[in-house]
Amino acid sequence: MSSSSSSSHLAFAHPEERAAATASADPRDRISLRDYMVDVEIGAFQTERGLTQRLMFNIVVEVQPQAAPLDDDVDKIMSYDRITEAISDELAAGRVNLLETLAEHVAERILAAPQAMRAFVRIEKLDRGPFKLGVDIVRTRAATPVQAQTDDGAVLHPVVAFFDNAMIADAALVARVAGLEARGAPLVLCVGMPEVAPAQVGIDVVQKRIDLLAIEQNAWVLAARNRDWLVVDSRTEIDWAIRQGKTIVWAPPKLVLDAVDSPLDRASDGAALALWLAEELAAQALVMPEGQKLSAGSRVPVETFAEQAG
């Protein structure tokens, strides 16, 4: 089958087939809900108000395999009820106009389960004609920001700042960071590749790890400019440091390698990794050197150091 015909086939394939075709290298289990039908009042058109219509749900959830023996214990798995409850709870939350909105919210509820890694949600209207009208979405835990919170439950939205090598060596670095700290938000500092290129090998996956380690070394170079800045590499450390009000220097290897939808293909691009981290942390802003190129479509507002100075 050609790539174009294969893509067309997958566009209409059941979510279970789509999940299998787009699976990552790491092992995952799948649970599914097929042809689950509910009567719902939904729709943006006036003719759809005050009436119910049938919706059909097909959902596949990729979950982390259980490391310890299951012992036939239901508490050690993600229950199928989690899927049906996500649907019923979202429908009970209030009327929506769009299938897209409903699918998005159902996926969010499913991905709140700690075992859930990726959710495929298909919803179809059955009563709009002699056909089905529907929407398919795929959402991952990586696309759902996990936000650090204070002890009283308040969400903390940090500022993430990327420094190029010229800025790391600049005598004004500490003052520049102090200006960012003055904003009053938690601060995460990121760097890219060092001036001296790391060793080059002929194996792509190995090279990516070497590049990540080179960025980590550069993070320690940055942290050496101020002993109060804390180098961190795990999500637990980041959340703790944010709650403690520490200024953080991010060492990327662990988070990048452990991520469900890892940005490993951008291992040598420090700015792209900083953007990924900002989205993961639901940052209030990403501050970049003027002229730094980023991919379009960021979910985080991007500022420049020039704007900060102004």
Side-chain angles (χ1 to χ4, degrees):
M1 185 180 294
S2 69
S3 60
S4 60
S5 60
S6 176
S7 298
S8 298
H9 170 75
L10 280 178
F12 293 95
H14 187 274
E16 214 159 14
E17 187 174 350
R18 295 180 64 201
T22 60
S24 60
D26 59 312
R28 300 184 195 174
D29 297 334
R30 298 188 189 94
I31 62 174
S32 62
L33 175 72
R34 281 180 175 265
D35 300 339
Y36 183 75
M37 197 177 305
V38 185
D39 289 325
V40 181
E41 184 189 338
I42 188 171
F45 292 102
Q46 193 62 39
T47 55
E48 295 178 288
R49 296 184 178 275
L51 300 172
T52 60
Q53 54 185 306
R54 292 176 300 160
L55 297 186
M56 181 176 288
F57 292 79
N58 281 277
I59 297 176
V60 173
V61 185
E62 292 183 342
V63 297
Q64 290 178 324
Q66 178 67 32
L70 287 177
D71 299 324
D72 209 29
D73 184 351
V74 70
D75 288 337
K76 293 184 178 180
I77 65 166
M78 178 174 168
S79 171
Y80 303 102
D81 291 340
R82 185 80 186 215
I83 304 177
T84 55
E85 287 171 0
I87 296 170
S88 59
D89 290 348
E90 190 54 43
L91 293 176
R95 188 187 191 283
V96 297
N97 288 332
L98 303 177
L99 289 181
E100 288 83 355
T101 303
L102 179 58
E104 185 82 36
H105 292 177
V106 168
E108 287 177 3
R109 291 180 181 271
I110 291 171
L111 290 172
Q115 304 98 324
M117 293 287 98
R118 189 164 61 151
F120 293 74
V121 179
R122 171 178 291 176
I123 310 177
E124 296 169 305
K125 291 183 179 183
L126 305 183
D127 298 327
R128 289 286 292 170
F131 40 68
K132 297 177 182 178
L133 298 174
V135 61
D136 278 76
I137 69 168
V138 183
R139 295 294 181 269
T140 67
R141 180 175 295 280
T144 306
V146 181
Q147 300 163 344
Q149 296 182 333
T150 61
D151 292 337
D152 62 3
V155 174
L156 296 171
H157 298 277
V159 171
V160 175
F162 175 77
F163 291 84
D164 60 24
N165 290 318
M167 298 175 73
I168 294 173
D170 191 350
L173 172 71
V174 174
R176 195 187 298 271
V177 172
L180 293 172
E181 291 171 334
R183 295 175 61 152
L187 181 60
V188 183
L189 312 180
C190 301
V191 299
M193 297 283 280
E195 292 283 3
V196 178
Q200 300 296 304
V201 298
I203 304 172
D204 185 60
V205 67
V206 176
Q207 186 64 56
K208 287 179 168 57
R209 288 175 177 264
I210 291 173
D211 292 343
L212 287 172
L213 289 171
I215 293 177
E216 179 174 3
Q217 288 182 322
N218 215 20
W220 283 100
V221 172
L222 173 64
R225 296 293 305 274
N226 189 315
R227 297 185 65 177
D228 290 334
W229 301 344
L230 182 65
V231 178
V232 297
D233 64 357
S234 71
R235 182 54 197 258
T236 299
E237 285 182 300
I238 289 175
D239 289 346
W240 176 86
I242 285 176
R243 290 194 298 270
Q244 300 302 313
K246 302 285 188 181
T247 292
I248 299 167
V249 181
W250 180 46
K254 178 173 175 54
L255 268 182
V256 170
L257 293 171
D258 289 350
V260 175
D261 284 324
S262 173
L264 189 58
D265 60 329
R266 292 162 278 170
S268 63
D269 188 343
L273 294 180
L275 173 59
W276 176 81
L277 180 69
E279 293 181 340
E280 283 290 289
L281 298 178
Q284 62 177 261
L286 172 63
V287 185
M288 305 291 288
E290 194 169 18
Q292 179 69 53
K293 300 297 185 183
L294 284 176
S295 59
S298 169
R299 301 194 300 271
V300 175
V302 178
E303 306 172 6
T304 68
F305 283 102
E307 292 168 336
Q308 289 289 307

